[in-house]
Amino acid sequence: MKERYENLESFEVNRAYRHWKGKLYYVHGLAVHTETDEMMVYYQTLYGDRSFYVRPISQFTEKVPLDREAENVTGQLYRFEPYDFE
């Protein structure tokens, strides 16, 4: 159980995040997968039809893959990073 909480110290909910490919998302909250006990991020697109998705927090907070740096239009270090509208 402790493992699922170790990445949460600096993770914020109820805020916008930008994906390394440039699109914006809004994180509504966190949830626990009932079968695997894995911590999941519940988020929404801020474009198009504003769909909702879930993704493991480990994927949400991982670094941009080195072999995909050419696609990294934002220059971000992490897959999703907090975004403040200016």
Side-chain angles (χ1 to χ4, degrees):
M1 186 83 106
K2 181 182 176 191
E3 281 184 311
R4 74 175 202 216
Y5 295 107
E6 68 185 43
N7 294 331
L8 299 181
E9 289 179 14
S10 62
F11 191 79
E12 298 177 57
V13 298
N14 297 316
R15 72 160 301 145
Y17 281 79
R18 182 172 63 177
H19 188 267
W20 61 279
K21 291 184 180 178
K23 291 190 176 180
L24 297 176
Y25 300 84
Y26 189 85
V27 170
H28 288 276
L30 299 172
V32 178
H33 191 291
T34 59
E35 306 259 333
T36 65
D37 208 32
E38 187 173 16
M39 183 64 65
M40 308 294 279
V41 178
Y42 174 60
Y43 64 105
Q44 179 181 23
T45 61
L46 294 180
Y47 60 88
D49 65 0
R50 300 174 84 76
S51 298
F52 289 88
Y53 295 95
V54 294
R55 169 189 297 246
I57 195 166
S58 59
Q59 288 180 4
F60 203 91
T61 59
E62 72 185 357
K63 289 185 176 181
V64 174
L66 293 176
D67 63 339
R68 312 258 326 254
E69 283 185 0
E71 299 171 63
N72 188 351
V73 299
T74 64
Q76 293 178 189
L77 179 61
Y78 294 97
R79 184 174 292 275
F80 290 89
E81 292 187 7
Y83 183 80
D84 292 316
F85 294 95
E86 295 178 23

